[in-house]
């Protein structure tokens, strides 16, 4: 594997886990105390067009000539003692995400290269670990504790590092030579294009690099040219990190791993105090906080909390962290111990000093915000909601239920004047309930209606309040006609009960418009 530096300051590290499904399954069996079945070759199967085929194999099965795509029957004929498990790509991806989380100790620029790889931009980070060799050695040592087989490669761009990690077999004098020695499969083209390159006698990347790009594009398409330029470093191959680097990040490393979660939380509280000083300098507060606990075996666990208003109070932040940890179904497992704790503040908003009101209004609002934060942290972000007004005249769309911690500050609602009847009922039916109506004239007010098998005689009415459909929208998913107009009436029956009903459509829009009861006034 190549690690020679080309010109330039950018450095990318690619990690490839060739036997990720098998390593994940055996690691899970070790955690549960089950037999790892390490002596038998292992293969993962999936159903393809009604037949079971190998989707992945372990190192032993690969050494015996088994490879993905082979029918299970043929594989058992070759290796009778083959152990078989169902292929679970979702579990593999979750395991890969966990490994990416752990690699956050080296750089914030970590990308998942599904289904079995990671890409790290380590530019400006390697010196923290004694250079590139020290960083790679630390990664391999931690992954070895989890029983993971890994291949790595360093290059000046992500595409080159990825190709070297997966396809290089013989060391080269420098990076450029190593890339030119790679097979054309390293370009990552579709099988048809790759086969065309081989038939044309272009078996190595160097063979393709010697040809004019115009001829390559004309025969094999623009994708082949772009893949070649990225591999050679002539075109950019950026890493899209799985997380945006936080605005504020503070960490604490330990010479010896700590095995108690409570001590790790105490360190997190100290980091929250440091974050407070940084936020005060910026006259800002955090809306989102993330604590990450890095284990010595390379894995990591992250805990996130949100607040409805900017804050920099360490006691409040830690109270939310403890609420969140207490509500976890899967408690934080230190494993062999935590060797690093990090606190990140990815979302920051201005927070200026405020004068408390003499009547206590600000204190009351702060107490409500604290209650919302605690309930949202304990029950879940989407379980506690706040209704906010929406700028639309359609009644059922006039409000939105947003997570309380993410909702904007409360706004004023439209209300009737003093002594005026309410414009809208408190309770709206969703969806509106159909009713049978007798009207005096086709476009006139209702005279009698039946709802839930009960007949109601209308004694008083007010209306109509005509609400047209939003002309830029379409009703009921239809694209060939606009929505229907609604005529709303506030009516009172003989027993004094008040209802909000509407006719859905004018007679010029629809031959027999239907009537609905949309709400009940208190």
């Amino acid at each position: 594997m190549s690690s020679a530096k080309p010109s330039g300051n950018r450095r990318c590290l690619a990690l490839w886990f060739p036997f990720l499904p098998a390593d994940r399954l055996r690691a899970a069996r070790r955690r549960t105390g089950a037999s790892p079945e390490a002596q038998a070759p292992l293969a993962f199967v999936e159903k393809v067009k009604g037949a079971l085929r190998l989707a992945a194999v372990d190192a032993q099965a690969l050494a015996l000539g088994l490879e993905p795509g082979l029918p299970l029957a043929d594989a058992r004929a070759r290796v009778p003692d083959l152990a078989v498990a169902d292929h679970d790509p979702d579990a593999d991806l979750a395991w890969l995400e966990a490994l990416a989380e752990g690699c956050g100790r080296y750089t914030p620029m970590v990308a998942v290269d599904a289904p079995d790889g990671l890409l790290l931009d380590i530019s400006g980070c390697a010196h923290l670990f004694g250079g590139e060799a020290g960083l790679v050695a630390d990664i391999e040592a931690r992954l070895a504790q989890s029983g993971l087989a890994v291949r790595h490669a360093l290059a000046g761009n992500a595409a080159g590092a990825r190709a070297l990690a997966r396809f290089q077999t013989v060391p080269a004098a420098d990076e450029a030579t190593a890339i030119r020695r790679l097979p054309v499969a390293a370009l990552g083209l579709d099988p048809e294009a790759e086969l065309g390159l081989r038939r044309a006698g272009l078996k190595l990347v160097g063979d393709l690099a010697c040809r004019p790009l115009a001829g390559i594009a004309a025969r094999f398409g623009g994708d082949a040219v772009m893949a070649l330029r990225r591999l050679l470093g002539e075109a950019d191959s950026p890493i899209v990190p799985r997380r945006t680097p936080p605005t504020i990040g503070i960490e604490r490393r330990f010479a010896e791993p700590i095995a108690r979660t409570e001590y790790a939380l105490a360190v997190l509280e100290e980091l929250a105090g440091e974050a407070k000083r940084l936020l005060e300098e910026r006259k800002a507060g955090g809306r989102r906080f993330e604590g990450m606990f890095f284990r010595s075996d390379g894995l990591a666990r992250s805990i996130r909390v949100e607040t409805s208003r900017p804050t920099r109070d360490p006691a409040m932040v830690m109270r939310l962290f403890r609420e969140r940890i207490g509500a976890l179904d899967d408690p934080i497992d230190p494993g062999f111990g935590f060797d690093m704790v990090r606190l990140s503040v990815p979302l920051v908003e201005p927070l200026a000093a405020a004068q408390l009101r003499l009547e206590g209004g600000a204190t009351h609002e702060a107490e409500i915000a604290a209650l919302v934060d605690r309930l949202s942290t304990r029950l879940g972000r989407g379980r506690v909601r706040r209704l906010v007004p929406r700028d639309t005249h359609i009644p059922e769309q006039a409000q939105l239920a947003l997570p309380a911690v993410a909702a904007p500050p409360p706004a004023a609602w439209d209300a009737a004047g003093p002594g005026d009847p309410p414009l809208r009922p408190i309770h709206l039916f969703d969806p509106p309930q159909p009713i049978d109506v007798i009207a005096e004239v086709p476009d006139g007010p209702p005279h009698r209606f039946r709802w839930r098998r009960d007949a109601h005689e209308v004694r008083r009415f007010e209306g109509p309040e005509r609400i047209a459909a939003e002309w830029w929208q379409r009703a009921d998913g239809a694209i060939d006609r606009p929505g229907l107009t609604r005529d709303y009436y506030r009516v009172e029956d003989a027993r004094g009960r008040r209802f909000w009903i509407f006719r859905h459509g004018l007679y010029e829009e629809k031959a027999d418009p239907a009537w609905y009861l949309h709400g009940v006034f208190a």
Side-chain angles (χ1 to χ4, degrees), residues 120-373:
L120 287 72
D121 189 334
I122 60 171
S123 305
C125 302
H127 69 280
L128 301 174
F129 303 90
E132 293 180 354
L135 186 148
V136 171
D138 189 78
I139 291 178
E140 291 185 334
R142 294 181 188 279
L143 293 176
Q145 295 185 42
S146 299
L148 284 169
V150 61
R151 288 187 57 180
H152 78 274
L154 288 156
N157 61 83
R162 183 184 188 277
L164 290 171
R166 294 171 181 266
F167 295 98
Q168 184 180 10
T169 57
V170 180
D174 53 60
E175 182 180 313
T177 303
I179 289 177
R180 289 175 177 270
R181 288 183 181 177
L182 296 178
V184 291
L187 295 171
L189 304 177
D190 59 80
E192 184 178 351
E194 181 182 337
L195 180 60
L197 289 172
R198 293 181 182 277
R199 287 178 175 174
L202 305 174
K203 298 181 179 180
L204 301 178
V205 172
D207 299 335
L208 198 61
C210 297
R211 301 297 193 275
L213 296 183
I216 297 173
R219 185 169 181 181
F220 302 104
D223 291 343
V225 173
M226 181 56 65
L228 177 63
R229 296 187 65 225
R230 286 176 176 169
L231 205 58
L232 297 176
E234 298 175 359
D236 191 22
S237 55
I239 289 178
V240 181
R242 54 193 296 271
R243 290 187 182 178
T244 304
T247 304
I248 293 178
I250 312 169
E251 61 187 38
R252 184 76 53 81
R253 299 175 183 267
F254 310 105
E256 295 292 335
I258 56 176
R260 294 180 64 247
T261 304
E262 280 301 320
Y263 183 72
L265 289 176
V267 173
L268 188 66
E269 187 169 6
E270 295 177 5
L271 297 180
E274 297 181 23
K276 175 186 177 181
R277 291 189 289 273
L278 295 176
L279 290 169
E280 285 176 343
E281 294 175 359
R282 303 186 182 197
K283 296 182 179 180
R287 285 284 306 278
R288 190 176 301 147
F289 298 84
E290 180 178 9
M292 294 194 66
F293 305 90
F294 293 88
R295 299 188 345 180
S296 59
D297 60 357
L299 300 179
R301 184 68 181 271
S302 64
I303 304 295
R304 304 178 187 89
V305 297
E306 280 185 286
T307 60
S308 56
R309 302 197 307 178
T311 184
R312 47 178 179 252
D313 182 7
M316 176 181 172
V317 173
M318 290 308 302
R319 183 165 60 248
L320 294 179
F321 271 119
R322 294 185 186 278
E323 290 276 0
R324 184 74 182 94
I325 293 173
L328 292 176
D329 295 331
D330 182 19
I332 298 178
D333 179 16
F336 295 102
F338 301 116
D339 60 1
M340 190 174 81
V341 176
R342 175 185 295 160
L343 176 65
S344 303
V345 190
L347 181 59
V348 172
E349 293 182 359
L351 177 60
Q355 177 68 40
L356 294 178
R357 300 177 186 173
L358 293 178
E359 64 273 17
T363 303
H364 178 66
E365 294 173 3
E367 291 175 351
I368 292 178
L371 177 61
V372 167
D373 296 341

Side-chain angles (χ1 to χ4, degrees), residues 376-397:
S376 300
T377 301
R378 179 179 298 181
L379 303 178
R381 186 177 189 269
R383 296 294 183 88
V384 182
R385 295 179 176 268
R386 174 176 287 163
L387 299 178
V388 297
R390 185 168 176 261
D391 186 15
T392 178
H393 57 272
I394 304 300
E396 65 270 19
Q397 299 176 10

Side-chain angles (χ1 to χ4, degrees), residues 426-473:
I426 296 177
H427 177 74
L428 290 182
F429 292 109
D430 184 21
Q433 299 191 7
I435 57 177
D436 297 325
V437 171
I438 297 176
E440 295 181 353
V441 293
D443 280 334
H447 180 68
R448 181 185 299 112
F449 68 92
R450 182 178 295 276
W451 174 51
R452 293 181 178 176
R453 300 182 181 179
D454 290 335
H456 299 264
E457 293 286 342
V458 176
R459 296 302 186 193
R460 297 182 178 87
F461 73 90
E462 185 178 2
E465 177 188 355
R466 181 158 293 178
I467 298 179
E470 295 174 335
W471 57 266
W472 58 93
Q473 301 286 351

Side-chain angles (χ1 to χ4, degrees), residues 84-143:
V84 176
D86 291 332
H87 183 46
D88 191 348
D90 292 336
D92 293 341
L93 182 59
W95 180 247
L96 193 62
E97 289 281 357
L99 295 174
E101 193 90 341
C103 287
R105 72 170 66 237
Y106 303 106
T107 172
M109 303 290 288
V110 181
V112 173
D113 183 22
D116 51 11
L118 298 176
L119 294 173
L120 287 72
D121 189 334
I122 60 171
S123 305
C125 302
H127 69 280
L128 301 174
F129 303 90
E132 293 180 354
L135 186 148
V136 171
D138 189 78
I139 291 178
E140 291 185 334
R142 294 181 188 279
L143 293 176

